[in-house]
Amino acid sequence: LKYSFKPLSSGINAEYGGSIVGGAVATAISHPFDLTKTQLQSSVGLGLDVSKRTLLEQLNFIYRTSGVKGLFVGFTPRLAKVLPSCAIFITTFEGLKEYFNDSTS
C-alpha cells in the first residue's frame, strides 16, 4: 500500500505533529516538579525527613545529590504515557471542531 501524507503545514499531520511536540515540551518542563511532588507525597506518613521539605528544597536536594539526571528520573515512561494522549486529544478535538464548523455552515 502506498500512503500519501499532507505536509506538516496543514491538516491532521500538523495537528498530530504539533501535539507531539507540545506534549514533549510541556512534559520536559513540568517533569522535575511532578517528580518532586510525587516524592514529597509518597514520603508523608513514613516519618521520612523529606516530608518536611518544601518543593524548592526538595528540587535543590535532588539536583545536589543526583544532578540534572536525577530531575528526569522516569521521564521516558512519562513521555510514553503523555504523548499518545496528547496526540489523540488534539487530533480528535481539531477534527471534531472542523466537522462541526463545516456542518453548521
Side-chain angles (χ1 to χ4, degrees):
L1 294 170
K2 188 174 184 178
Y3 296 100
S4 64
F5 294 100
K6 293 179 184 176
L8 282 177
S9 62
S10 66
I12 196 165
N13 290 332
E15 294 157 5
Y16 183 76
S19 66
I20 293 290
V21 171
V25 169
T27 301
I29 292 169
S30 66
H31 184 74
F33 298 102
D34 194 46
L35 172 76
T36 303
K37 173 194 64 104
T38 302
Q39 287 183 355
L40 290 172
Q41 287 176 338
S42 65
S43 69
V44 172
L46 297 177
L48 299 175
D49 194 36
V50 174
S51 63
K52 294 180 175 79
R53 294 183 185 140
T54 66
L55 179 74
L56 292 177
E57 288 171 342
Q58 182 64 13
L59 273 170
N60 189 30
F61 175 78
I62 295 169
Y63 179 74
R64 282 187 288 116
T65 57
S66 304
V68 173
K69 186 176 179 180
L71 294 171
F72 289 93
V73 169
F75 183 68
T76 303
R78 186 163 180 227
L79 273 180
K81 178 189 133 200
V82 169
L83 294 186
S85 63
C86 285
I88 291 167
F89 175 77
I90 297 297
T91 304
T92 303
F93 175 79
E94 291 296 330
L96 289 173
K97 184 174 77 171
E98 185 176 323
Y99 173 78
F100 286 115
N101 281 340
D102 287 347
S103 66
T104 59
S105 301

